[in-house]
Amino acid sequence: MEEKLKPEELVEALLEGFISVAHPDKAAGMAAYMKHHFVFIGVPKPERAIIQKSWLPLVKSYSSDDLHHLAQLLWERPEREMHYAAMDFLKAAKKQWNAASIQVFEQINGTHSWWDSVDLIASGLIGPWFLQTQTDPRPYAERWRDSNQLWFQRVSIIFQLTYREKTDWKLMQDMMNPLLSHPDFFIRKAIGWALRQYARTAPQSVIAYVKKHEHQLSNLSKKEALKHLEG
């Protein structure tokens, strides 16, 4: 961009851009899809991406501190599109990540929490951060698992979704085992999803795990885990 806007100014400019292309008639449907947990401006993802793309050069020129501040400011807004922008900007500017980034990721994961943000934060931000910084994830994952906070427990299970052969299978099992009988849909789904993804890399390990824990695993978790292995 020609002008070097401060994070506070970029938030206002981004909001104006979203409003300029919004479809107010779609906002109600978007909110309903998210169970009315959030307010929507009415900007579909393709149009939102175009607006965000115009600001990416500026975002990538920010210092780590300014990037974090921008994300926090966007997250404080009530509009869900602004939250999506925060996550997209953080992901696009991963070269600016540092040791403090994980604190920002945890902060946004703990507020305005729902599956659409938690899943992106887990697999698009937190997971890659551990690989990029070569930080041991176990202390973090154990804290999230034991937090008794649903969305952090989900993160502890799914942050390795994109790891493939880099997956720490022992760690994944340690995250899942205490939660196998958890009553909540989002935890049961997370367990099945994590197993399904790892089955692409180590199918026999997943089959053996499901067989070993078949009486503890929910039907949902088992169905998801074996989805691509049946037949």
Side-chain angles (χ1 to χ4, degrees):
M1 303 301 296
E2 294 183 0
E3 47 185 339
K4 180 77 171 183
L5 300 185
K6 296 178 180 178
E8 292 84 357
E9 297 171 320
L10 176 51
V11 170
E12 293 304 317
L14 189 65
L15 180 59
E16 290 178 6
F18 284 165
I19 292 174
S20 71
V21 299
H23 301 271
D25 56 311
K26 294 184 178 181
M30 296 167 76
Y33 183 66
M34 289 300 158
K35 306 296 184 183
H36 299 286
H37 286 292
F38 311 103
V39 173
F40 280 83
I41 304 170
V43 185
K45 184 176 180 179
E47 294 172 58
R48 176 170 56 80
I50 292 173
I51 297 294
Q52 291 174 194
K53 185 177 181 180
S54 68
W55 293 107
L56 272 181
L58 172 61
V59 172
K60 290 183 177 181
S61 76
Y62 277 162
S63 66
S64 298
D65 287 346
D66 280 347
L67 173 66
H68 294 159
H69 186 44
L70 172 65
Q72 290 165 328
L73 289 172
L74 288 168
W75 211 261
E76 290 172 0
R77 296 289 314 183
E79 303 89 359
R80 195 56 165 172
E81 288 94 340
M82 301 294 271
H83 305 161
Y84 295 150
M87 294 184 288
D88 289 343
F89 284 151
L90 285 169
K91 187 175 181 180
K94 61 190 309 180
K95 288 185 178 180
Q96 286 107 287
W97 292 357
N98 60 19
S101 299
I102 188 65
Q103 298 170 13
V104 178
F105 301 160
E106 288 184 302
Q107 180 185 350
I108 63 177
N109 188 71
T111 54
H112 301 305
S113 307
W114 196 238
W115 64 264
D116 59 328
S117 59
V118 171
D119 292 358
L120 196 155
I121 292 167
S123 62
L125 299 177
I126 289 176
W129 181 85
F130 284 128
L131 294 181
Q132 181 171 310
T133 61
Q134 297 187 336
T135 300
D136 181 7
R138 180 171 286 276
Y140 293 87
E142 289 180 344
R143 173 163 54 82
W144 298 331
R145 179 199 63 196
D146 299 337
S147 67
N148 203 32
Q149 297 180 47
L150 173 70
W151 297 116
F152 279 98
Q153 291 176 319
R154 184 171 169 95
V155 169
S156 74
I157 297 168
I158 67 171
F159 76 89
Q160 298 190 80
L161 279 180
T162 63
Y163 280 21
R164 297 183 180 275
E165 69 280 353
K166 295 180 181 178
T167 300
D168 185 333
W169 176 227
K170 175 64 165 60
L171 177 60
M172 184 189 295
Q173 293 176 82
D174 289 345
M175 295 305 102
M176 295 187 296
N177 289 347
L179 301 173
L180 291 181
S181 301
H182 198 288
D184 192 274
F185 167 85
F186 288 106
I187 297 300
R188 294 182 172 189
K189 184 78 171 182
I191 291 171
W193 189 13
L195 289 170
R196 186 177 81 226
Q197 285 297 103
Y198 189 56
R200 300 177 187 276
T201 299
Q204 293 306 315
S205 294
V206 171
I207 291 171
Y209 182 85
V210 171
K211 183 176 180 179
K212 178 180 179 180
H213 298 282
E214 61 180 334
H215 298 302
Q216 296 168 277
L217 284 162
S218 68
N219 289 333
L220 173 61
S221 296
K222 287 185 283 189
K223 180 180 178 180
E224 288 292 320
L226 302 175
K227 182 174 288 186
H228 300 303
L229 299 177
E230 298 172 338

